[in-house]
């Protein structure tokens, strides 16, 4: 029996896709998520589960090293493609499936040259790579979760070696340096949060500056496009803005629900998000949105899981420059996701409002819009305060409940304002 050929055929028929989104690539990520769902291709949450790596968004040289680390941790057979725009996603996925096929059925145009190390520039702007079965399979340690290893000395499995430090009681305990990001499932694109742990408690937090694309014009802050256009003088209907805002909240809820271990509701959130973005009329989505907000908002289990985590008062949030849902919620993770649900319900009646958007009146998804001070910059700056002293298990929930958007910091328009 040709086990190699069988493995390749199985992988090619329904590949498990690891989606690595970079800052400025939200539109590409959304297109990829829609297409993967339509094709019923499974999403991989770790490199060890993946057959196909899809990089979504513009080229960011600063992220090439963690992308290579992600790639190395994938077991063979494997393929790698890059879609820089939403229009390239379908061709990139097709190319990746062709690369995963056995040599006997793989199209000649998809076979990489043997002397190029498995790399070639594919058609339609998609960069592709295929590795044979002579490679060592990847592992599923922390280093295999999209860049957790962070460059420290590592033990087998990718875990950084522990140092030592004094805890709050004056005892000397092992310290572990653990980066989260820049590529994790259900994580802000390209964000890297560096934790210093003693036991399972976060002692110190540093956040890296977001990576910037080679070409600023290639990066787009997808969720705030109506506000950017209105600020430039273009007439934008209120309905378009609140529709984008509600979709952004559903995207954030999808992340949080996935991190909290409720995948079925995460999928529902993303389906509703995509329906809003496709322009579905209010009458078609309102009943489903009402059911979703009642089910998630009324879940005692989810509230119990998230209660008391990442507490920040409304006053402290505003003092830190945070506005929007995080400031209005004024509380813990539970309060913040319930605020998203309340905002969605508030926006539902206005999805088709033709009045002109006033950026001084209508908040963008993460707060009052300002190109000089993007709302996500304050959310990222707030992370160390909320994470220090928290348990490691709660860290992902805290980040998901704020869900800063690195696109806001690297997109065209915002970068131009920053440069003066």
């Amino acid at each position: 029996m040709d086990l190699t050929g069988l493995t390749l055929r199985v992988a090619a028929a329904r590949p498990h896709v690891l989606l690595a989104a970079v800052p400025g690539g939200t539109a590409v990520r959304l297109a990829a998520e829609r297409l993967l769902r339509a094709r019923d291709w499974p999403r991989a949450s770790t490199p060890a589960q993946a057959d196909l790596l899809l990089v979504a968004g513009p080229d960011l040289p600063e992220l090439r090293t963690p992308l290579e680390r992600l790639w190395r941790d994938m077991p063979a057979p494997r393929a790698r493609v890059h879609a820089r725009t939403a229009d390239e996603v379908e061709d990139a996925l097709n190319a990746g499936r062709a690369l995963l096929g056995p040599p006997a059925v793989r199209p000649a145009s998809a076979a990489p040259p043997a002397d190029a190390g498995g790399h070639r520039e594919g058609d339609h702007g998609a960069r592709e790579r295929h590795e044979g079965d002579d490679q060592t399979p990847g592992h599923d340690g922390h280093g295999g979760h999209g860049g957790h290893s962070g460059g420290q000395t590592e033990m087998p499995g990718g875990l950084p070696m522990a140092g030592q430090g004094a805890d709050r009681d004056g005892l000397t305990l092992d310290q572990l340096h653990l980066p989260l990001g820049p590529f994790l499932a259900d994580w802000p694109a390209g964000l890297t949060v560096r934790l210093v742990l003693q036991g399972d408690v976060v002692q110190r937090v540093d956040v890296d500056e977001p990576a910037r694309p080679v070409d600023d014009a290639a990066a787009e802050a997808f969720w705030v496009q109506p506000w950017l256009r209105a600020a430039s003088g273009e007439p934008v209907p209120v309905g378009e803005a609140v529709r984008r805002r509600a979709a952004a909240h559903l995207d954030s809820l999808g992340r949080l629900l996935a991190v909290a271990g409720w995948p079925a509701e995460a999928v529902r959130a993303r389906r509703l998000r995509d329906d809003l973005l496709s322009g579905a009329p209010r009458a078609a989505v309102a009943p489903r949105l009402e059911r979703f907000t009642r089910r998630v908002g009324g879940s005692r289990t989810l509230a119990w899981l998230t209660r008391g985590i990442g507490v920040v008062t409304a006053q402290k949030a505003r003092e830190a420059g945070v506005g929007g849902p995080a400031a209005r919620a004024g509380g813990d993770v539970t309060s913040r996701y319930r605020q998203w649900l309340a905002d969605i319900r508030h926006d539902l009646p206005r999805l088709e409002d033709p009045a002109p958007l006033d950026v001084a009146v209508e908040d963008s998804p993460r707060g009052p819009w300002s190109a000089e001070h993007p709302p996500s910059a304050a959310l990222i700056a707030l992370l160390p305060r909320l994470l220090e002293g928290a348990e490691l298990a709660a860290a992902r929930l805290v980040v998901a409940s704020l869900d800063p958007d690195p696109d806001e910091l690297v997109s065209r328009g915002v970068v131009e304002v920053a440069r003066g």
Side-chain angles (χ1 to χ4, degrees), residues 200-257:
D200 62 352
V201 177
V202 178
Q203 297 291 319
R204 192 174 75 246
V205 180
D206 295 301
V207 182
D208 289 0
E209 287 288 326
R212 298 193 180 278
V214 174
D215 178 8
D216 293 337
E220 179 182 85
F222 178 84
W223 296 118
V224 296
Q225 276 304 298
W227 286 264
L228 288 172
R229 288 162 44 213
S232 69
E234 180 181 340
V236 177
V238 166
E240 179 182 344
V242 298
R243 181 179 289 270
R244 185 67 63 98
R245 182 168 63 200
H249 292 338
L250 287 164
D251 188 59
S252 297
L253 283 161
R255 292 180 193 270
L256 185 138
L257 292 166

Side-chain angles (χ1 to χ4, degrees), residues 56 89 100 128 161 184 196 218 256 261 321 344 349 353 377 381 385 391 418:
V89 170
L100 284 169
E128 306 159 42
M161 293 288 285
L184 285 171
V196 177
L256 185 138
I344 291 169
D353 188 342
R385 180 185 303 182
E391 294 184 358

Side-chain angles (χ1 to χ4, degrees), residues 267-353:
V267 170
R268 288 189 180 92
R270 288 159 178 162
R271 287 184 183 277
L272 287 164
R273 172 202 69 190
D274 293 345
D275 288 345
L276 285 177
L277 291 175
S278 69
R282 175 183 176 275
V285 297
R288 293 164 53 220
L289 275 169
E290 290 287 358
R291 287 194 298 272
F292 172 81
T293 57
R294 284 198 306 269
R295 187 183 302 113
V296 173
S299 170
R300 295 180 180 180
T301 302
L302 183 62
W304 172 82
L305 180 68
T306 57
R307 186 173 293 122
I309 296 174
V311 176
V312 59
T313 66
Q315 179 180 348
K316 291 295 184 182
R318 292 191 177 96
E319 288 174 357
V322 172
R328 290 196 303 275
D332 54 10
V333 170
T334 310
S335 300
R336 288 193 284 276
Y337 77 71
R338 285 179 172 169
Q339 185 65 56
W340 283 332
L341 295 169
D343 288 354
I344 291 169
R345 288 193 294 268
H346 178 264
D347 282 340
L348 257 178
R350 302 195 297 156
L351 294 180
E352 292 153 9
D353 188 342

